[in-house]
Amino acid sequence: MIIRQKMKKIILSLFVLCTLSACGGSDDETSKDMTKPAISDMGITANPIDCQQYHRGEVIPFCYTFTDDVELGNYNIEIHNNFEHHTHSTTSVECEEEEHHEEKTPVKPWVFNQDYTIPSGQRTYTSRVNINIPSDIDTGDYHFMIRLTDRAGWQELKSIAVKIVE
């Protein structure tokens, strides 16, 4: 009976030890990454920027530099209408043209949402993507959202106010 209890304690101790070591994390750099990545316009001609206007049927030549102290992961570009003038609180810029516009009811609003992969091992990456604007969408105010995620899962968000015109 005593031997059986000692065996149970040993087995339980080994189970707890294995569980703790599995949850303890690894010593690689990802587990040490406690800083979110950055979206930057330094050293480049960033595009788009707040208050830019684009015509239906044109291309938005996206260009931003991404940095991280350990390793970048991926990014997402989302474009959606801002006809009701909501905010994402990532910029304090208000475009002059937007200040006095009334809310608009969407008929055929543009929705763009695309994920992009950054090559492994990168700490700095300049993204260049041409985004085609459909020729038959509603004109008006739009948000151009950039979501950058590093390899550890930290995320940075940048919201840019743009306008689509005829």
Side-chain angles (χ1 to χ4, degrees), residues 88-108:
H88 293 281
S89 302
T90 66
T91 182
S92 60
V93 174
E94 281 207 33
C95 302
E96 238 178 75
E97 301 85 28
E98 290 183 5
E99 289 179 7
H100 304 295
H101 281 194
E102 294 179 21
E103 287 189 18
K104 177 179 177 175
T105 302
V107 176
K108 191 169 183 185

Side-chain angles (χ1 to χ4, degrees), residues 3-155:
I3 295 174
R4 192 176 278 181
Q5 286 178 341
K6 284 185 180 184
M7 286 299 287
K8 283 183 181 180
K9 285 182 183 180
I10 291 171
I11 291 171
L12 181 60
S13 296
L14 286 172
F15 177 75
V16 170
L17 182 63
C18 288
T19 302
L20 290 175
S21 66
C23 296
S26 64
D27 289 333
D28 70 1
E29 292 204 19
T30 304
S31 64
K32 298 175 188 173
D33 187 352
M34 298 302 292
T35 306
K36 63 184 179 176
I39 302 168
S40 174
D41 59 3
M42 300 301 287
I44 61 168
T45 302
N47 198 67
I49 58 172
D50 280 313
C51 305
Q52 271 187 307
Q53 291 189 7
Y54 297 94
H55 295 274
R56 293 190 294 189
E58 285 185 342
V59 170
I60 298 175
F62 174 78
C63 183
Y64 273 88
T65 296
F66 306 138
T67 59
D68 189 63
D69 60 335
V70 177
E71 184 176 353
L72 292 164
N74 56 51
Y75 65 102
N76 172 275
I77 296 174
E78 176 194 339
I79 303 168
H80 61 266
N81 77 73
N82 188 23
F83 298 164
E84 79 287 356
H85 301 282
H86 65 272
T87 181
H88 293 281
S89 302
T90 66
T91 182
S92 60
V93 174
E94 281 207 33
C95 302
E96 238 178 75
E97 301 85 28
E98 290 183 5
E99 289 179 7
H100 304 295
H101 281 194
E102 294 179 21
E103 287 189 18
K104 177 179 177 175
T105 302
V107 176
K108 191 169 183 185
W110 183 25
V111 177
F112 179 90
N113 194 334
Q114 182 69 48
D115 293 322
Y116 299 90
T117 302
I118 297 171
S120 295
Q122 302 294 310
R123 290 185 180 186
T124 300
Y125 181 78
T126 299
S127 173
R128 290 181 173 84
V129 178
N130 287 326
I131 300 170
N132 295 315
I133 303 170
S135 58
D136 60 347
I137 60 164
D138 290 341
T139 59
D141 300 318
Y142 283 83
H143 279 152
F144 190 107
M145 307 288 296
I146 308 165
R147 287 179 184 83
L148 173 63
T149 306
D150 69 11
R151 185 170 155 228
W154 294 100
Q155 188 177 81

